[in-house]
Amino acid sequence: MYTMSGVTVSEGVSEGVAYVLSDGSEAHSVDVVATFSASDECLKYRRASRDFAAKLNNAANGTVPDKVRDLFGAVASYITNNANINEIDALIYDGNSALDAAKSVLLPKIARFSEAASFDDEDNEHKSLQDQEDDWEMQVSSNELRSLMRDFIGTISASPSANDDVPKLNRPSVIIANDLSPARFLALRTDMVRAVVLEGGQASGHLGTVLRDLCIPAVYEVKGALTIKNGEDLLVDATRGTVLVSPPQEAARSLIEQQDYYTAQENDVVIEDNPAVTVAGSLGAIGEVDHMARCINHGLGLLRSEFLFLSYHHRPTVDEMVATFSAIFNRVPKKAPLTARTFDFAGDKQPLFSVELDESGALRKYGAKVGSKLIKDEIKAMLLASVGREIYIVFPLITRIGEARSLRGLIDEAVAELKAENKPIGNPHPALMIETPAAVLSARAFAAFGEMFVIGTSSLSEYAAAPRPPEEYFTPALAKMIAIACKAARDEGVKVGMAGRFARRTELLPLFLSLGVSYITTDATSLQSVRKELQKLTDNGATPVFKDEVYAQVMEASSARELHDLIFQDNASA
């Protein structure tokens, strides 16, 4: 037995036999040196691009994260683009193989995309925050674009049989690879994947999001991982970032049983045991409905509703949305919290159907890129699907008072219209996402239009770091924005919650409680650790009460060291 270490990307403990995936790019790095027909080569490219695009689109039709869906759609469109195909045809008729032509046309454009995504301080100081944020998103995506393009180009020179040669997992397996694209991962039997171990990998990439939402443990940056042999027994303790090769069976069973024990205990916790603080699961990239149980057995902390309808080819009707929401809401225990966010089609989250935007009024330039008619229909669907229950309806990306007022009014209109039709509905509570600097600075005024603030720490961390990439650590700028929003909530008597990637950071819980946070929503893999740490804190007397002295210390902190000392001083006092 020996141990390897790496970076935790998705927590959990699991075991299985090693299945080593080759990079794929090396196998197809040798140029084809055979006599070929130009027309056959043109047909070969078209067939390969069509088949690969179909695989990407099929994968995107499942409920996957919006960034993954858009990445797949962009690559599918790119490789089947008529202009690119015409360039490739011209090179083929000049004597190049389909493989060489595709490399010559497609790869330089991907390289230029990566260069465009690089950061230059002098350039960025003249850009808007949105443009800077878009640049960062491009930089994060460029590595995965290159990975997908390597996968695709490998299929061009492959034989038809090799093209369909997806690894067929028939027993619980731990996938070992240098790197792995979401498309290649989703082509596997994911029900047989017990863990993923990468020698490289990018923690902020799309694959990590998929793995966390599917509750598959993952460890990246494991040096020497590719020396592991196919079929070797592995125990992956992603919570600690370790991989045990050929572990003693007794040790493996003990660790798995320990995880199962804590999971079982966590699942037995009753919500009322800690009425002061709610901890519930966020949903976005979900699989089958049965898979949701682990995430929502303590309540639905935040449903990112747009993920459920991005693949629709038509505007979803109220009845269709009711059926979709009911299938999820009905799985949430009756007394557990129920919170759903309205559509957010901003940025790269473009649905297949056409979205009608408001041409006038307060929502004419609403940042979520959705019109009031569809929002009101969605609110109606949420109300009809939540009969007999309390439901928080969360509005994203609000930056103006007029938007907050108008969106709050849509709930009143939906309620009035449904009651006029004598239809039973749930009891709605309006809530606002605080995820932009504008929302932070106007939070006190926004409080008049919502009963809860949900602070989106992922988006705020990007604004806090712009124009540079968002930091992995909790920065003073991010802490200040959170503190300002929490103070506004306290001053105006509004409940405050925490969402996003910093909501799962257990070391920040004492600070959040000291700022009055009483609602936390996080991904399924982090629920257990957050609830366990929260229980420890509340057992020691910690409560969600806003403390002016803590607020003052956060606002005075100007360095990471000062903020670190404050956080861990707060931990010690808790």
Side-chain angles (χ1 to χ4, degrees), residues 10-305:
S10 179
E11 295 181 356
V13 180
S14 193
E15 62 179 336
V17 297
Y19 196 111
V20 182
L21 292 178
S22 63
D23 188 342
S25 58
E26 295 181 3
H28 303 291
S29 61
V30 180
D31 292 340
V32 177
V33 191
T35 303
F36 55 84
S37 159
S39 60
D40 286 346
E41 289 298 293
C42 291
L43 181 62
K44 178 188 287 186
Y45 179 83
R46 283 167 169 76
R47 182 182 296 116
S49 62
R50 180 199 64 205
D51 292 347
F52 197 80
K55 289 180 180 179
L56 291 175
N57 288 328
N58 286 338
N61 283 336
T63 311
V64 297
D66 58 332
K67 293 180 181 179
V68 177
R69 182 191 308 276
D70 295 325
L71 179 68
F72 289 179
V75 172
S77 298
Y78 179 61
I79 63 178
T80 57
N81 178 270
N82 285 333
N84 287 337
I85 290 176
N86 290 337
E87 288 186 49
I88 289 169
D89 283 350
L91 288 175
I92 289 174
Y93 278 98
D94 283 343
N96 293 281
S97 68
L99 177 64
D100 288 338
K103 286 180 177 179
S104 298
V105 171
L106 302 179
L107 295 184
K109 293 182 180 180
I110 292 294
R112 286 197 294 274
F113 176 91
S114 301
E115 291 170 3
S118 63
F119 282 89
D120 183 274
D121 289 342
E122 185 174 344
D123 289 342
N124 272 295
E125 68 181 12
H126 302 296
K127 292 184 178 181
S128 68
L129 283 177
Q130 183 61 56
D131 287 341
Q132 293 163 10
E133 189 176 26
D134 291 343
D135 283 349
W136 166 238
E137 184 62 40
M138 288 170 62
Q139 188 181 54
V140 171
S141 300
S142 63
N143 289 336
E144 291 179 356
L145 275 172
R146 288 195 297 271
S147 179
L148 281 172
M149 291 310 301
R150 286 198 304 268
D151 289 349
F152 165 61
I153 287 174
T155 69
I156 298 174
S157 61
S159 65
S161 59
N163 198 27
D164 296 328
D165 187 21
V166 176
K168 295 177 174 57
L169 306 179
N170 53 20
R171 55 178 174 166
S173 303
V174 176
I175 302 301
I176 310 293
N178 177 50
D179 204 351
L180 192 59
S181 69
R184 201 173 185 199
F185 172 75
L186 291 171
L188 302 171
R189 280 192 59 186
T190 56
D191 62 310
M192 284 292 178
V193 177
R194 293 295 179 266
V196 172
V197 176
L198 300 183
E199 190 157 296
Q202 185 176 14
S204 61
H206 300 134
L207 179 62
T209 303
V210 173
L211 293 170
R212 285 189 292 272
D213 282 330
L214 294 178
C215 302
I216 296 176
V219 184
Y220 289 5
E221 298 181 30
V222 180
K223 302 305 180 186
L226 292 177
T227 63
I228 297 172
K229 296 180 176 58
N230 271 317
E232 285 193 287
D233 292 326
L234 300 180
L235 175 65
V236 179
D237 184 355
T239 304
R240 295 180 175 85
T242 59
V243 180
L244 278 67
V245 183
S246 299
Q249 286 303 305
E250 292 181 4
R253 277 198 303 271
S254 174
L255 199 54
I256 296 291
E257 288 172 359
Q258 184 181 42
Q259 175 184 245
D260 292 343
Y261 170 75
Y262 284 118
T263 299
Q265 283 206 323
E266 174 62 20
N267 289 337
D268 288 340
V269 174
V270 180
I271 296 295
E272 287 76 13
D273 284 352
N274 188 10
V277 185
T278 296
V279 181
S282 302
L283 282 183
I286 54 177
E288 297 298 323
V289 173
D290 288 342
H291 172 71
M292 290 189 253
R294 178 181 174 187
C295 189
I296 61 179
N297 58 358
H298 295 294
L300 180 53
L302 186 66
L303 175 66
R304 301 184 291 272
S305 66

Side-chain angles (χ1 to χ4, degrees), residues 510-574:
L511 176 63
F512 292 159
L513 293 178
S514 297
L515 292 174
V517 173
S518 61
Y519 189 95
I520 298 172
T521 178
T522 186
D523 59 87
T525 58
S526 304
L527 276 175
Q528 179 180 342
S529 58
V530 171
R531 291 179 67 86
K532 184 178 178 181
E533 181 64 20
L534 182 64
Q535 188 64 56
K536 186 190 307 180
L537 292 170
T538 54
D539 286 348
N540 290 331
T543 57
V545 175
F546 186 91
K547 298 178 180 178
D548 287 298
E549 64 273 21
V550 173
Y551 171 81
Q553 288 175 301
V554 170
M555 299 307 291
E556 286 294 324
S558 58
S559 69
R561 169 55 61 186
E562 290 174 340
L563 187 60
H564 174 276
D565 292 344
L566 169 61
I567 290 169
F568 286 95
Q569 170 189 329
D570 206 28
N571 279 333
S573 63

Side-chain angles (χ1 to χ4, degrees), residues 412-452:
D412 296 334
E413 292 176 19
V415 169
E417 290 173 15
L418 291 174
K419 284 186 175 180
E421 298 172 15
N422 294 317
K423 292 184 177 179
I425 60 174
N427 185 26
H429 301 273
L432 309 177
M433 290 292 299
I434 305 296
E435 53 188 337
T436 67
V440 170
L441 296 174
S442 299
R444 287 195 64 173
F446 284 164
F449 305 101
E451 298 177 26
M452 177 168 69

Side-chain angles (χ1 to χ4, degrees), residues 219-402:
V219 184
Y220 289 5
E221 298 181 30
V222 180
K223 302 305 180 186
L226 292 177
T227 63
I228 297 172
K229 296 180 176 58
N230 271 317
E232 285 193 287
D233 292 326
L234 300 180
L235 175 65
V236 179
D237 184 355
T239 304
R240 295 180 175 85
T242 59
V243 180
L244 278 67
V245 183
S246 299
Q249 286 303 305
E250 292 181 4
R253 277 198 303 271
S254 174
L255 199 54
I256 296 291
E257 288 172 359
Q258 184 181 42
Q259 175 184 245
D260 292 343
Y261 170 75
Y262 284 118
T263 299
Q265 283 206 323
E266 174 62 20
N267 289 337
D268 288 340
V269 174
V270 180
I271 296 295
E272 287 76 13
D273 284 352
N274 188 10
V277 185
T278 296
V279 181
S282 302
L283 282 183
I286 54 177
E288 297 298 323
V289 173
D290 288 342
H291 172 71
M292 290 189 253
R294 178 181 174 187
C295 189
I296 61 179
N297 58 358
H298 295 294
L300 180 53
L302 186 66
L303 175 66
R304 301 184 291 272
S305 66
E306 62 272 6
F307 292 108
L308 305 173
F309 302 99
L310 287 179
S311 61
Y312 272 49
H313 289 273
H314 63 277
R315 181 181 182 277
T317 66
V318 172
D319 288 343
E320 287 173 326
M321 289 189 282
V322 169
T324 301
F325 292 142
S326 295
I328 299 172
F329 293 175
N330 291 343
R331 301 299 294 263
V332 180
K334 286 293 184 183
K335 294 184 179 180
L338 187 62
T339 304
R341 189 179 72 186
T342 55
F343 290 138
D344 174 7
F345 296 135
D348 55 4
K349 290 186 287 187
Q350 299 297 316
L352 297 179
F353 61 88
S354 178
V355 179
E356 180 184 349
L357 302 178
D358 288 12
E359 295 182 359
S360 62
L363 297 181
R364 184 171 66 88
K365 294 184 178 181
Y366 179 34
K369 305 298 183 184
V370 58
S372 56
K373 188 177 187 306
L374 182 56
I375 297 174
K376 186 161 76 170
D377 282 351
E378 185 185 20
I379 292 171
K380 287 183 176 180
M382 290 178 177
L383 294 174
L384 291 168
S386 60
V387 175
R389 306 185 61 154
E390 308 293 318
I391 178 171
Y392 278 92
I393 298 177
V394 185
F395 297 115
L397 289 175
I398 298 177
T399 57
R400 300 175 182 228
I401 294 298

